[in-house]
Amino acid sequence: MRSSLLALGGLVALASGPAMAAELRPDQIAFRDIYRELVETDTSAPTGSCTVAAGRMLDRLRKAGFGPDRAEVFVPEGHDKDGGLIARIEGSDPRAAPMLLVDHIDVVAARREDWPRDPFRLTEEKGYFIGRGVIDDKALSAIWVDSLIRMQAAGFRPRRTIKVALTCGEESSDAVNGVDWLLRNRRDVVQAGFALNEGGYGISDKDSRPIALYLAVGEKYAQSFTIEARNSGGHSSRPRPDNAIYDLADAL
Ligand SMILES: [Zn+2]
């Protein structure tokens, strides 16, 4: 995680609960395929492309019936690899403020030689998913895309418009921050009454029953200060009452 968005940051493995491939329902297999494709698309700033990942998700939405008016890839001018995806399902009540489902699809850089496995291959081992971005944050991106496809297939018409934005540049300042870009250039597509983003998570028991769902409603942000204290000084073996160190300690 970087930036002001809620985030977990840099983790490489996700405890997803035991899931045997043989027991998966068709809809779970469909979800797994979206998740796998996202994880296996390198979206790190030095070697990957968010635009490619966004394009792959757009292909899935097109196949599900999302036309150009409801789903598109956006690419900041001059930054071919820093694209993202925007999509929507129109609500039935124009007075209800839209809901924005937002997530970053970029990941922290991962070098093959630093990893025991290929970081851009989704591996499942003993109930854990392993790969770059499995938890931060391609699971959520896959959930948003999968949710749109499920809603479309069910003919679901929400009361409020549901907007989805998958963006780049959250993990690295080497890529254009897609949220920032959308707010500056396509504000209408992300304008919403509230947004759901990464940062929360849930816990289930050994039988996969939900126990708790954590919500993060805010996040601290780093802020650097420089404080300078001056006086005539002296030797630390003979501390004086007007010592600059005391002044600095008082200020801190
Ligand atoms: Zn994140």
Side-chain angles (χ1 to χ4, degrees):
M1 67 160 257
R2 304 274 291 270
S3 96
S4 60
L5 294 177
L6 302 182
L8 286 169
L11 301 181
V12 296
L14 164 67
S16 64
M20 310 303 171
E23 296 170 3
L24 295 181
R25 303 186 310 260
D27 64 309
Q28 292 173 320
I29 292 169
F31 169 78
R32 180 77 68 95
D33 197 52
I34 298 170
Y35 184 39
R36 180 198 53 73
E37 185 169 48
L38 272 178
V39 170
E40 297 189 354
T41 305
D42 180 357
T43 51
S44 67
T47 55
S49 168
C50 290
T51 308
V52 170
R56 289 175 177 168
M57 294 303 105
L58 182 66
D59 287 347
R60 289 175 179 271
L61 292 179
R62 286 280 183 271
K63 286 192 186 104
F66 285 78
D69 57 325
R70 293 201 299 145
E72 62 176 291
V73 166
F74 66 91
V75 182
E77 201 178 336
H79 299 272
D80 292 350
K81 300 196 305 179
D82 303 347
L85 176 83
I86 44 179
R88 62 194 285 139
I89 289 186
E90 209 62 42
S92 60
D93 182 355
R95 289 164 308 172
M99 171 198 311
L100 175 65
L101 308 178
V102 61
D103 192 34
H104 68 88
I105 49 172
D106 62 318
V107 293
V108 175
R111 296 188 305 178
R112 178 65 189 88
E113 59 267 35
D114 295 337
W115 284 56
R117 308 167 183 79
D118 182 350
F120 297 108
R121 187 175 170 83
L122 181 66
T123 306
E124 188 181 351
E125 223 173 81
K126 297 175 185 167
Y128 288 81
F129 288 119
I130 300 167
R132 173 57 93 217
V134 291
I135 188 169
D136 188 15
D137 199 50
K138 287 176 166 172
L140 185 60
S141 290
I143 288 167
W144 292 159
V145 172
D146 182 65
S147 298
L148 285 177
I149 293 171
R150 285 176 194 250
M151 287 187 270
Q152 174 77 10
F156 176 66
R157 185 86 194 272
R159 189 168 73 83
R160 42 174 104 239
T161 294
I162 296 173
K163 300 177 174 180
V164 167
L166 303 184
T167 60
C168 199
E170 200 269 356
E171 299 287 12
S172 165
S173 51
D174 294 336
V176 176
N177 184 303
V179 170
D180 186 54
W181 189 90
L182 286 169
L183 287 171
R184 290 173 195 273
N185 297 281
R186 301 287 302 275
R187 178 122 199 166
D188 56 312
V189 303
V190 287
Q191 190 68 44
F194 64 95
L196 299 178
N197 194 8
E198 66 173 326
Y201 66 102
I203 294 176
S204 53
D205 67 14
K206 62 180 171 49
D207 299 317
S208 299
R209 278 188 300 248
I211 294 174
L213 178 65
Y214 296 100
L215 292 178
V217 294
E219 187 168 274
K220 65 180 184 286
Y221 194 76
Q223 173 71 56
S224 300
F225 296 93
T226 301
I227 302 173
E228 194 173 289
R230 292 167 179 266
N231 71 4
S232 54
H235 196 274
S236 57
S237 65
R238 298 176 65 191
R240 41 192 287 169
D242 62 343
N243 196 308
I245 295 171
Y246 297 156
D247 293 340
L248 190 60
D250 285 348
L252 289 173

